[in-house]
Amino acid sequence: MKKYDLIIIGSGSGLNIASKAIQQNKKIKIAIIEKSKMGGTCLNHGCIPSKMLLHYKDVIESIKSSKDFFIKSKIEKIDYEKIISSTDYQLNKLSREIYSFYKKSRQIDLYKGNAKFIDNHTLKVSKDLIYGKKIVLAIGARASIPNIQGLENIDYLTYIEALKLKTLPKTMTIIGGGYIGIELSNFFQSMGCKVTILEAKKILSNVDDEIASEFKKKFLKNIKVIENVNIKKIESKNKKITVFFNNKKITSEKLLISTGIKPNTDLIDIQNTNIKLDEKGFIKVNKYLQTSIKHIYALGDCINSYFFKHSANFESLYVFEKIFKKHTPKINYPPIGYCVFSTPEIAGVGITLKQAKSSKYYIKKANFKDIASSMIVKDNTGVLYLIFEKKTNRLKGSHVVSKNASILIHILIAFMQKKAKEEDLKEMIYIHPSFGEFIKKAL
């Protein structure tokens, strides 16, 4: 049995730990286990490919809106197959480069396959048994599939298959209106596919009602959304898929399931360890990202924390510090923002508007149509909220719906990071005319 100082399961954010460790300690021996392509979910079938495809959507929308600026333009053809193949090529190339980099290291052994725990220190990968003094679980999550009658007989898509779909369907039904469902619906609609979203409650249920309401003003112009849906069954006939719901039905060529994620903890024989899980299968960790076994750490989508690549990267750097440096304090998350890369974009950080209705806070608001940039880009859709704590006047949250919201929110994340007060935001000089004046307008 081969023994290692550190075993890392998963080649996404866990690679941050490996790369820093081999730079710091030239004698350390590390094993990296990956069942799929190097680079993890984000690179291969998550945030990177989805944002690459969504940029094509942005280009198409720019061309179509050129008439608003008295520019006559025409899209002669959208080469969907080339868009998909080009994206795949770039991602596969980068994944291979990552593999080659770590393969060359004398300090790292790469294992391809599913990791299975034998005990608290020992793992089996294919026929290999390996021992780790310390272990990091960066095993991620996968699409959660709902229990719907007939779904087991359907050739449905998850985000993984949708991002690599070779042929553009004429119609698509998406079950689930969360971040992933919204972004993918935007992409396929821009390509020429007729998309309908079915949502059990309301789309974007994780954002405030005020934000979702502003978002829908533009989003619903191009994509049909049906909320408060109770799906009874799903059938397939003549290469078409029919979803039966609320005494109605909808038929389409493709069905995309986008109803959340589940952790991959059920794939690694975790029952052979003393690692504790919560009721949803996520790994329980303490304030040092240690599991119930102190030499085993966990980070990213397999713990019930934030579900972003940027938060997983932050956690991986913390775990490195905890493993290799003494007297590491408890993890202290800075303000962590989110974004839905749709049309329009949604971005936010900190406490929600619902939480801010407490007497501890006060809210400032601005409408995008009231700043100069709205006239420049000829777009009236957008709203920005700033949430301040009454006792300290410190910025505690912000939520934005607008073009370029993903960029604008970073100013507010920085203000929150530095514990800025309302007067600090007021003292800043915002470039005119710019999207930054959206913040000034709210003050």
Side-chain angles (χ1 to χ4, degrees):
M1 184 190 306
K2 202 160 187 179
K3 294 186 177 182
Y4 294 92
D5 299 299
L6 176 64
I7 295 174
I8 300 171
I9 308 178
S11 68
S13 295
L15 293 183
N16 295 330
I17 301 170
S19 62
K20 290 180 74 68
I22 61 175
Q23 290 174 29
Q24 177 176 290
N25 186 340
K26 300 302 181 183
K27 294 182 179 180
I28 193 170
K29 195 66 178 174
I30 299 174
I32 298 173
I33 305 171
E34 175 54 62
K35 62 183 174 62
S36 185
K37 296 177 180 179
M38 293 290 286
T41 296
C42 178
L43 174 63
N44 293 294
H45 39 251
C47 38
I48 298 299
S50 64
K51 302 322 172 271
M52 289 175 72
L53 296 179
L54 284 166
H55 185 67
Y56 288 103
K57 178 264 300 181
D58 293 338
V59 172
I60 290 169
E61 289 177 350
S62 294
I63 296 170
K64 288 184 175 180
S65 66
S66 66
K67 65 180 183 299
D68 298 332
F69 299 88
F70 314 108
I71 299 170
K72 293 183 179 180
S73 60
K74 181 181 179 181
I75 298 175
E76 294 186 356
K77 180 184 178 182
I78 298 174
D79 194 338
Y80 172 83
E81 292 183 8
K82 188 68 174 179
I83 288 171
I84 299 297
S85 63
S86 174
T87 301
D88 278 350
Y89 175 80
Q90 293 178 73
L91 297 174
N92 290 335
K93 181 175 181 290
L94 183 52
S95 180
R96 289 193 299 270
E97 289 172 354
I98 294 171
Y99 174 83
S100 297
F101 173 81
Y102 287 98
K103 187 69 174 176
K104 291 176 183 176
S105 173
R106 294 181 179 180
Q107 296 171 257
I108 293 176
D109 289 337
L110 298 179
Y111 290 86
K112 180 68 178 293
N114 291 303
K116 303 287 185 180
F117 273 106
I118 303 300
D119 57 40
N120 290 338
H121 279 281
T122 310
L123 288 150
K124 185 176 183 181
V125 189
S126 299
K127 297 180 180 180
D128 296 308
L129 283 177
I130 57 177
Y131 177 96
K133 293 179 183 178
K134 294 185 185 296
I135 300 172
V136 174
L137 302 178
I139 57 177
R142 64 188 188 277
S144 176
I145 307 303
N147 184 18
I148 302 174
Q149 181 184 336
L151 184 57
E152 69 276 9
N153 301 317
I154 304 298
D155 185 21
Y156 60 84
L157 309 172
T158 67
Y159 59 88
I160 294 177
E161 296 82 19
L163 292 168
K164 298 182 182 298
L165 195 60
K166 301 300 182 185
T167 303
L168 179 69
K170 292 181 179 179
T171 54
M172 176 182 289
T173 301
I174 299 178
I175 298 178
Y179 294 6
I180 296 173
I182 293 295
E183 290 184 351
L184 289 178
S185 69
N186 250 179
F187 168 69
F188 282 107
Q189 179 272 328
S190 72
M191 293 291 109
C193 176
K194 183 179 180 182
V195 178
T196 301
I197 297 176
L198 303 180
E199 169 56 47
K201 296 179 181 178
K202 58 182 180 179
I203 63 168
L204 297 172
S205 58
N206 288 338
V207 306
D208 288 295
D209 290 342
E210 297 91 334
I211 297 298
S213 177
E214 183 70 18
F215 169 80
K216 289 178 180 179
K217 290 179 182 178
K218 176 173 283 190
F219 184 78
L220 294 182
K221 291 179 180 180
N222 296 310
I223 296 172
K224 184 178 181 181
V225 173
I226 305 175
E227 298 177 319
N228 300 310
V229 166
N230 182 16
I231 298 174
K232 298 297 184 183
K233 64 178 180 178
I234 303 175
E235 294 180 353
S236 178
K237 185 178 181 181
N238 298 327
K239 297 183 179 181
K240 295 290 181 69
I241 300 169
T242 301
V243 180
F244 296 84
F245 66 97
N246 300 10
N247 297 318
K248 300 176 182 178
K249 63 180 181 179
I250 183 170
T251 300
S252 58
E253 290 183 15
K254 291 294 181 181
L255 175 67
L256 170 59
I257 303 296
S258 181
T259 51
I261 60 172
K262 63 178 292 184
N264 287 327
T265 49
D266 58 329
L267 304 178
I268 58 173
D269 284 355
I270 207 165
Q271 70 275 6
N272 294 332
T273 72
N274 299 113
I275 296 172
K276 293 181 180 179
L277 308 178
D278 68 14
E279 65 279 1
K280 294 183 179 180
F282 292 97
I283 298 171
K284 289 184 176 181
V285 293
N286 62 17
K287 295 296 184 179
Y288 299 96
L289 296 185
Q290 293 168 307
T291 68
S292 45
I293 304 169
K294 299 305 181 186
H295 68 270
I296 301 179
Y297 297 78
L299 60 90
D301 288 351
C302 65
I303 65 175
N304 200 358
S305 181
Y306 300 94
F307 297 103
F308 306 121
K309 174 64 173 176
H310 44 284
S311 56
N313 283 340
F314 176 79
E315 290 164 349
S316 70
L317 296 176
Y318 172 83
V319 169
F320 168 78
E321 296 285 330
K322 182 69 181 74
I323 291 175
F324 295 102
K325 296 187 179 181
K326 296 180 179 179
H327 310 301
T328 304
K330 296 176 182 179
I331 189 168
N332 181 24
Y333 289 95
I336 293 180
Y338 71 89
C339 183
V340 184
F341 292 85
S342 49
T343 303
E345 289 186 346
I346 300 174
V349 63
I351 69 169
T352 65
L353 293 171
K354 185 176 182 180
Q355 292 170 325
K357 289 176 182 177
S358 158
S359 59
K360 295 180 181 179
Y361 306 99
Y362 63 96
I363 300 171
K364 299 272 188 155
K365 175 186 175 183
N367 293 307
F368 186 64
K369 63 182 177 63
D370 294 328
I371 68 170
S373 290
S374 170
M375 183 169 57
I376 294 169
V377 300
K378 298 192 177 184
D379 187 352
N380 289 329
T381 304
V383 66
L384 179 145
Y385 292 92
L386 301 174
I387 303 167
F388 296 94
E389 185 179 47
K390 286 182 179 179
K391 185 178 180 179
T392 63
N393 287 340
R394 285 179 175 169
L395 181 67
K396 290 295 183 179
S398 180
H399 303 274
V400 191
V401 179
S402 78
K403 187 181 182 71
N404 294 331
S406 59
I407 300 172
L408 184 64
I409 198 65
H410 282 83
I411 303 174
L412 297 160
I413 293 173
F415 272 129
M416 282 187 62
Q417 176 77 21
K418 294 302 180 181
K419 297 180 170 54
K421 298 181 179 181
E422 182 181 354
E423 51 263 39
D424 296 319
L425 276 70
K426 286 181 176 178
E427 287 174 0
M428 177 174 168
I429 297 176
Y430 299 87
I431 294 172
H432 177 79
S434 74
F435 277 66
E437 288 183 304
F438 207 174
I439 299 170
K440 180 182 178 182
K441 194 68 180 179
L443 296 168

